[in-house]
Amino acid sequence: MKRRAALGILPVMILVSTVSCTDFLDQQPQTALTQEQVFAKLENIDPLITGLYTNWRNARKDRGGFMFQLGGDESQQGAFQVRSEADQAGLDRYDGFLAPRNNALTQQWDLRWPIVSAAAKAILALQTNTEDEAKRNVLLGEASFIWSAVTFELTQYWGEIPIIDAGKLNEFGTSRKPLPQVYEYLIKNLQFAVDHLPETQTDKRRVTKYAAMALLGKVYLYAPQESNARDYQKAADMFDGVIKSGKYSLLPKFGDLFDPSKPNSTESLYEFQFTNTYPDNNQTQWQMGSRALASIDGNCAFGGYDLMVPTAYAYKDATNGGVWEAGDVRKTASIRYDFIYNGQPPKLLSGFGGDELDPHVKKFEDPRTQGTMSFWYSGKNIIYMRYADVLLCYAECLNELKRTPEAVGIVNNQVRTRAFGGTLPVTMKWNEGLSQDEFRTKMLDERMRELCFEGWRRMDLIRSGKFVSLIKARNRWAAESNTIQEFHKKYPIPLTEVLQNEDISDADQNQGYLP
């Protein structure tokens, strides 16, 4: 018999620490409380919210943190990964393994719904709590933000999804809901977060009003047309609010964004906090680095196992069919081209695909591990949202609102000026006379140059209408299989969900996928 369990909705016992929650990750459960007891007092709900932050952060680490970036036009799997893991390879090949039975996607689906469910329970409890209105509203804003961030990700990748409202479980169940309803909830919850979160947080693990404004702006900008929620003016208002706050600015040097000694900079709206100590390490470099270097020294900071590598388009110069313009400093800050180690060039390994020394992702390298610890202990913070993204999104909105010259000015005077070391050559300036469509085309490349491997590309391709054409042209494995189709913009609902969830049947599967 099917039951309402796969989305993590069933009542659970919640373990709450009786010690200080100043450190999210070191809490040791001391007392088992019922759900009702936890939600009765703010002092019990607070650790639950901090636990939500930890679970949300952990969804962005290790292999799973980058699964949704595979199969794009800027990143793909290394050759050995494709040959050794059929389910995972399906994410790049868009073949028969990209199906409801795909374990790689099922793991990501299963990882996120308990976060949404726990956030929904906290939202319900906080809505009726009367202890301290100011504190309650901040906690409610945080729970609403996390609910929205994970729900936004889920609906962008799977389309129509259940709306988890703990107060309406009997009414809503766990069936898939129409996109207008999903986005109505996203906007409502994020607007509450905007209205009630503080402008700053001493604890950098917690979100602020401006992170909520930026995410709400993205929801308005990225919403599918069929959701009836895409609104360029409302998106522009949110981004403009972040800009006019005066709290954020671009770092003078692009490479400083990825320097682990300079975390939580003036450009960061929010980043996931990690360290080089287990369990707070993120293992990201383990997946991003070169297998050829790993075979030489397990403590080489740019070693790894080629899970995600740049496509040729993402690492080549424009003169050679790629995206990079001469003089753009973002190129070598984002991508590793040099693999010389201790004065010696490494060699390709036999039987591993031959791309281990092709350019690799550099943004997640953690030089603190070099020579002293395995790159598995990489622990740099992982950026979620930053000011350059806000500027580019704002410029996009202005272009859609027929204010293209203003949009060009923002891109030229801020983002591209930094990209060329502080002085933008005349030949590299975008013309203020660009048409709307010309601006859209140039912006898609500019977002790759600025934000490559930071997690927004699949969403950008989907909303631009270029998903199939650009992936087929630029992704090695998608081009090889030549099976990508428009329906692949949505992932298949996992078979386990269909089998276990009484509100989702085979008939509810995304179009194009067989059960």
Side-chain angles (χ1 to χ4, degrees):
M1 181 177 179
K2 293 172 71 173
R3 55 193 175 90
R4 196 172 284 158
L7 294 176
I9 305 304
L10 292 179
V12 294
M13 293 290 289
I14 298 178
L15 294 176
V16 177
S17 173
T18 59
V19 299
S20 170
C21 61
T22 54
D23 188 341
F24 296 176
L25 302 170
D26 289 339
Q27 296 179 52
Q28 296 299 319
Q30 303 294 323
T31 305
L33 301 177
T34 66
Q35 183 169 301
E36 291 74 18
Q37 288 173 318
V38 168
F39 291 149
K41 293 184 178 182
L42 288 180
E43 66 183 25
N44 291 336
I45 299 176
D46 197 328
L48 174 62
I49 300 300
T50 61
L52 282 174
Y53 278 111
T54 300
N55 292 337
W56 180 38
R57 183 204 72 165
N58 288 346
R60 308 295 291 240
K61 67 189 289 185
D62 202 9
R63 178 175 296 241
F66 300 88
M67 205 59 65
F68 300 139
Q69 294 193 50
L70 304 179
D73 70 331
E74 75 177 16
S75 51
Q76 62 191 21
Q77 290 165 75
F80 183 73
Q81 294 281 349
V82 169
R83 294 175 182 178
S84 61
E85 304 211 21
D87 275 2
Q88 188 176 287
L91 303 185
D92 272 295
R93 298 184 65 83
Y94 295 94
D95 56 14
F97 285 96
L98 184 53
R101 295 178 181 273
N102 188 288
N103 289 322
L105 287 176
T106 298
Q107 290 170 3
Q108 299 313 306
W109 172 274
D110 290 346
L111 186 62
R112 284 160 174 76
W113 283 109
I115 303 172
V116 175
S117 178
K121 292 170 185 174
I123 289 169
L124 176 63
L126 287 162
Q127 285 172 340
T128 58
N129 186 287
T130 59
E131 286 181 78
D132 180 334
E133 184 177 4
K135 181 177 180 180
R136 182 205 69 169
N137 283 340
V138 171
L139 292 174
L140 182 52
E142 290 178 292
S144 298
F145 181 97
I146 295 171
W147 184 97
S148 300
V150 182
T151 297
F152 179 56
E153 188 177 42
L154 286 163
T155 189
Q156 283 282 303
Y157 296 143
W158 276 277
E160 295 82 354
I161 57 171
I163 295 174
I164 306 305
D165 182 333
K168 295 184 178 181
L169 183 57
N170 289 335
E171 177 186 346
F172 283 4
T174 53
S175 62
R176 302 180 74 187
K177 296 296 186 289
L179 289 179
Q181 193 174 5
V182 174
Y183 277 84
E184 178 185 358
Y185 258 76
L186 280 170
I187 291 167
K188 178 188 70 173
N189 280 350
L190 281 172
Q191 187 61 60
F192 185 92
V194 169
D195 293 339
H196 294 94
L197 285 174
E199 294 190 3
T200 60
Q201 293 265 38
T202 302
D203 189 336
K204 297 303 180 182
R205 289 168 288 193
R206 308 187 87 113
V207 294
T208 66
K209 171 189 183 74
Y210 298 109
M213 291 180 74
L215 184 56
L216 181 52
K218 278 186 172 285
V219 167
Y220 282 126
L221 176 60
Y222 283 65
Q225 293 290 1
E226 58 267 33
S227 72
N228 300 322
R230 185 176 295 184
D231 191 315
Y232 295 115
Q233 185 59 63
K234 289 181 179 178
D237 290 344
M238 288 295 113
F239 298 130
D240 190 40
V242 176
I243 294 167
K244 288 181 176 176
S245 75
K247 293 185 177 295
Y248 303 95
S249 60
L250 297 181
L251 292 180
K253 295 182 179 180
F254 180 80
D256 285 351
L257 283 164
F258 310 102
D259 183 340
S261 69
K262 301 173 182 178
N264 306 304
S265 70
T266 58
E267 189 165 340
S268 173
L269 274 74
Y270 188 77
E271 54 194 64
F272 299 103
Q273 310 293 306
F274 291 99
T275 73
N276 295 114
T277 304
Y278 179 82
D280 294 353
N281 56 317
N282 58 43
Q283 303 108 54
T284 300
Q285 185 57 30
W286 184 267
Q287 310 297 347
M288 299 296 146
S290 169
R291 187 180 297 269
L293 275 299
S295 69
I296 295 176
D297 185 352
N299 292 343
C300 172
F302 48 97
Y305 294 103
D306 316 304
L307 167 71
M308 189 178 90
V309 298
T311 63
Y313 185 79
Y315 70 69
K316 286 185 176 181
D317 292 335
T319 54
N320 194 28
V323 72
W324 293 105
E325 300 161 313
D328 191 331
V329 301
R330 296 172 295 189
K331 174 185 173 182
T332 53
S334 302
I335 300 172
R336 173 166 291 281
Y337 296 86
D338 178 10
F339 294 94
I340 300 296
Y341 188 67
N342 291 335
Q344 298 296 319
K347 297 179 180 180
L348 287 175
L349 305 175
S350 175
F352 286 96
D355 60 356
E356 309 96 281
L357 295 177
D358 286 350
H360 275 58
V361 177
K362 186 178 182 180
K363 282 184 175 179
F364 304 102
E365 293 178 4
D366 190 344
R368 297 172 299 181
T369 67
Q370 177 57 48
T372 62
M373 65 181 79
S374 166
F375 43 79
W376 186 81
Y377 286 101
S378 62
K380 286 199 312 190
N381 288 356
I382 295 177
I383 295 172
Y384 178 55
M385 285 191 297
R386 57 184 176 91
Y387 189 58
D389 191 9
V390 169
L391 291 172
L392 293 177
C393 286
Y394 183 52
E396 278 197 66
C397 293
L398 294 181
N399 180 58
E400 298 302 329
L401 295 169
K402 299 182 179 180
R403 296 164 59 184
T404 305
E406 293 177 66
V408 169
I410 288 171
V411 178
N412 278 341
N413 298 333
Q414 297 193 63
V415 178
R416 286 180 63 77
T417 291
R418 178 179 65 177
F420 286 86
T423 301
L424 183 61
V426 173
T427 56
M428 292 299 171
K429 290 184 178 180
W430 290 7
N431 191 320
E432 290 186 358
L434 289 174
S435 69
Q436 272 187 313
D437 197 51
E438 287 171 334
F439 184 93
R440 293 182 190 117
T441 299
K442 293 177 79 67
M443 177 57 77
L444 205 54
D445 274 347
E446 187 65 15
R447 286 187 63 80
M448 181 185 289
R449 288 185 285 259
E450 179 68 30
L451 300 163
C452 56
F453 323 122
E454 294 182 38
W456 298 108
R457 189 61 180 182
R458 185 180 181 90
M459 296 184 192
D460 288 342
L461 291 175
I462 291 170
R463 68 189 175 90
S464 69
K466 304 289 187 180
F467 181 83
V468 172
S469 60
L470 293 187
I471 292 175
K472 185 182 290 188
R474 298 169 179 172
N475 184 296
R476 173 184 174 183
W477 312 115
E480 184 180 277
S481 61
N482 196 31
T483 50
I484 186 172
Q485 298 182 55
E486 286 293 330
F487 74 81
H488 286 124
K489 289 187 295 187
K490 295 180 182 179
Y491 289 133
I493 302 297
L495 179 62
T496 53
E497 190 67 45
V498 176
L499 293 175
Q500 296 180 61
N501 189 335
E502 64 183 17
D503 293 332
I504 296 180
S505 68
D506 287 339
D508 298 314
Q509 181 59 261
N510 278 329
Q511 185 178 1
Y513 295 104
L514 297 174

